[in-house]
Every structure is written in structure tokens, then in C-alpha cells.
Amino acid sequence: MDVAQRIKNLPPYLFAEIERKIERARERGVEILDLGIGDPDMPTPDFIVERMCREVKNAKNHQYPSYRGLQAFRQAACEWYGRRFAVEFDPETSVVSLIGSKEGIAHFPWCLVNPGDIVLASDPGYPVYKVSSMLAGGTVLALPLLRENNFLPDFSIFPESVLERTKLVFLNYPNNPTSAVAPLKFFASVVELARKYDFAIAHDLAYSEISYDNYQAPSIFQVEGAKDRAVEFHSLSKTFNMTGWRVGFAVGNTGLIEALGRVKTNIDSGIFNAVQWAAVEALNRDREALEGILPVYQRRRDLVVKALHEAGLPLDPPMASFYVWVPVPEGFDSMGFAELLLEKAGVVLTPGIGFGKYGEGYVRISLTSSEEILERAMERVGEVLRGR
Ligand SMILES: *Cc1c(COP(=O)(O)O)cnc(C)c1O
């Protein structure tokens, strides 16, 4: 069968080659230490699991959920927003539940983008921004995140004619993969541009709660007027070690939220109610959950940064996210360096090129493995670099 053109247009899967190499190394008996995947290794906190167990037994939860999400879940999301960011949202009109934030991000361009409209997507970035915009018929341009700008985009690189055709901009801070954070004044400047050129902003806030040294990531809605232009995507996956549960939500501009809800009613039928009740429990007791999680990532971060320093790759410790974005040594590209570490050390890191062309020159280390594994992996990386 000949697949549709839109499928043929999708970018090639860059990690296929590296996955084959991992498989071959495993077959040779090499012990692989995988620091590639950004999936929390710690379990979901007990009190969330216990709530789930209770709700699963309630027959009322066994039927189709409402497509917008349980009232209680939307309410809990708004209350969490109020506590965390001092921003008020109406649970009736400003929130929609998502089957993980990836689902919402993937459907969002369908609400906005007409064929030929320009979408600016952070590069390096979460690949879904680009792919979903392409599927919706948009023309995707890279929004380069460069070290010299602290990995914040510089919109002045685009001519007026591009900004005038721009319909949607995807941002993500704390950022995956660069672990960069953005100050509120950056969001204020983007909101101002959005007003001037009449585009919408999709802000992916998946890592809002994963931060260190008393840093607290802002919401774009702390900027005056952002509700006219923006939607923010939230996930319980990273905050509460709930990647397998598939639950998130979007908040923001009522027209955009309504449009996203409308797309979703026509495609899916919402999230299992028992999962939504567990999510209510999580949001209401967020501090309790994070007390058990953040110090663990912080210790891992410190260990990795110290080891990189000793291996001749000094960098500033990231303030947020559970990633370390490492410039590759002189003479390598990101794929070549990742392959060297796989071949010589059995250590898997994600080559930056997998996140877009501006990811070239970096590899991403994920802190979602135990200190013991990280320590061993970093020892092996150090040996390879010293022996080079
Ligand atoms: C993990 C991740 C998500 C998606 O999380 P869900 O599990 O779909 O809620 C979204 N954006 C970024 C940047 C991520 O790293």
C-alpha cells in the first residue's frame, strides 16, 4: 500500500541507527547504561496509587468520561494554578483535560493552522511541535535556541513577512532538551510580539515543578494580557512520576481551549475517570510528592555535573528539568560522540541532532537513573575521554 503523502513528509526517525547499535552491543554482552530516555525511574507516590485503587473499584468510574474532563479535575487544576502561579482560571471555560500533554500538543495545531500558515517551533525541541504542525498543513520554521542567547529564541532574525504569516509559536521552559529556563520578561516580550503580529503561543510547561536551588519556573499567564493569546500545556507525567498514566491538561485562552476541546470530542473520549481522581489527589498534594522527588534529582544533577567537570566538560548546573545538555568535545558531532560512548563505554546518551538541527554539537544526559548507574556511567565516560 502506498501511504499518504503527509506520512511520507514526516521526518525520518533519527534514533533508528543508534537503536540498532544498542541492540548489537547488547548481543555482544556489553552492559548498556541508558541515560538517553527522559522517563522517571521512581514510582508514582503511594498516596496517588492508593487513590487510584479506591477509584477503580467504584463502578461510576467505569463509564465513558466527559470529554472536557471531570469537573473535579478541572477544578483541581485551576486551584493548583492559583496556588502555584497566583493566576485565576475558570474551570468551566479555561481548562481541558488531556490524555497526556503530548496528546494536546499534537492536536493543538489542528485548531489554528491553515495550510500555508507558518508555525515557529523551538529547535532543539520536543519533536511533536514540528510533526503535529506539519500534519495540520503548516509550514514549520525552526526557532533556534542558541547558547549565546541562553537558549531563548531571538525573533528579530525573522523578516516582517515571516512574522506576519506566523499563526502559532511553540515554546517550552523549563526546556527539554537544553534545560534552559526563561524569565518572565522573556514571556512578556513574546506576548507583545504575538499581539503585534496576531499569532498564538503554545507554552509547554511539562517541567514546571522540576527545579532546583529554590528556582520556581513562571507561567506565561503571569504576564498581563497573555490570556488573549496563549495556551499552556501541563503534564502530571514528570511532576508526579506518572508517565504511564496518561494525564495532563491545557489552560488558557477560552476560544483556543474550546477549539481544542472540539477537536478532541471528535477524536477521543477523554481520560479514565479513576485516573482523573488520582490526578486530583496528586495536584492537591503536590508539595508532599515533590519533597520526595526533587532532592533525588538534585543529588543526581550534582553528581553528573561534577563528573563532567572532572572529565574536562565543565558546565553550569541546570536550574530545572531532569536533563543535562552537554557540548560535545572538539572534533565530534553529536551522533559521532554518542556512538563513541556507546561503542567504548556502553553508555547511551541522546544526540542533540535528534531534537533538530540546532541541537547539533550537544548530547543530552537524562537524570532518570539511580545515582549508582549515573556514577558508573560517568566513570566510563571519563575513561573514554581521558583515553582519547
Ligand atoms: C515528556 C514531555 C511531554 C509529554 O508528556 P506527557 O507524558 O505526554 O504528558 C511534553 N513536553 C515535553 C517537553 C516533554 O519532555
Side-chain angles (χ1 to χ4, degrees), residues 68-308:
R68 285 192 304 160
L70 279 176
Q71 206 281 337
F73 175 58
R74 286 179 284 117
Q75 178 89 33
C78 289
E79 282 168 11
W80 179 79
Y81 239 89
R83 283 200 308 280
R84 176 62 176 80
F85 301 112
V87 176
E88 300 298 319
F89 280 107
D90 177 1
E92 293 311 313
T93 56
S94 304
V95 191
V96 64
S97 66
L98 301 173
I99 313 171
S101 62
K102 182 178 188 177
E103 179 264 307
I105 292 166
H107 286 139
F108 191 59
W110 294 88
C111 303
L112 270 167
V113 176
N114 287 314
D117 285 345
I118 289 177
V119 178
L120 303 180
S122 300
D123 182 334
Y126 191 55
V128 187
Y129 312 142
K130 177 175 176 171
V131 170
S132 62
S133 301
M134 284 171 64
L135 287 173
T139 300
V140 184
L141 301 184
L143 192 54
L145 308 186
L146 306 176
R147 173 171 293 272
E148 58 260 37
N149 300 329
N150 298 318
F151 300 108
L152 299 175
D154 173 9
F155 289 87
S156 73
I157 63 168
F158 297 108
E160 194 94 345
S161 59
V162 164
L163 294 173
E164 273 161 6
R165 276 177 57 209
T166 297
K167 197 69 188 279
L168 173 61
V169 171
F170 274 105
L171 300 173
N172 163 226
Y173 295 97
N175 185 256
N176 173 12
T178 69
S179 75
V181 296
L184 206 52
K185 71 173 196 298
F186 165 75
F187 289 113
S189 71
V190 184
V191 169
E192 195 181 312
L193 270 185
R195 198 177 296 127
K196 180 167 177 199
Y197 293 104
D198 192 26
F199 60 73
I201 304 162
H203 183 221
D204 178 353
L205 202 39
Y207 294 91
S208 65
E209 304 314 294
I210 310 298
S211 63
Y212 313 105
D213 309 321
N214 299 321
Y215 174 76
Q216 287 226 301
S219 157
I220 197 170
F221 296 113
Q222 290 168 313
V223 174
E224 191 69 43
K227 284 182 185 172
D228 297 337
R229 295 270 147 208
V231 164
E232 220 156 47
F233 290 94
H234 279 271
S235 172
L236 280 81
S237 291
K238 313 294 162 60
T239 307
F240 301 105
N241 302 330
M242 290 174 75
T243 46
W245 297 57
R246 310 315 302 138
V247 57
F249 60 94
V251 296
N253 179 268
T254 53
L256 294 175
I257 292 293
E258 194 275 330
L260 182 55
R262 195 135 41 113
V263 169
K264 282 173 55 58
T265 4
N266 285 287
I267 292 177
D268 66 63
S269 300
I271 310 163
F272 185 19
N273 281 339
V275 169
Q276 294 190 63
W277 283 114
V280 169
E281 192 76 29
L283 289 168
N284 288 345
R285 294 167 71 178
D286 59 334
R287 287 296 115 196
E288 195 178 331
L290 287 163
E291 266 167 29
I293 295 170
L294 295 182
V296 176
Y297 287 137
Q298 182 145 358
R299 281 198 300 276
R300 294 173 179 179
R301 176 200 70 162
D302 293 344
L303 177 166
V304 166
V305 169
K306 180 160 173 278
L308 286 169

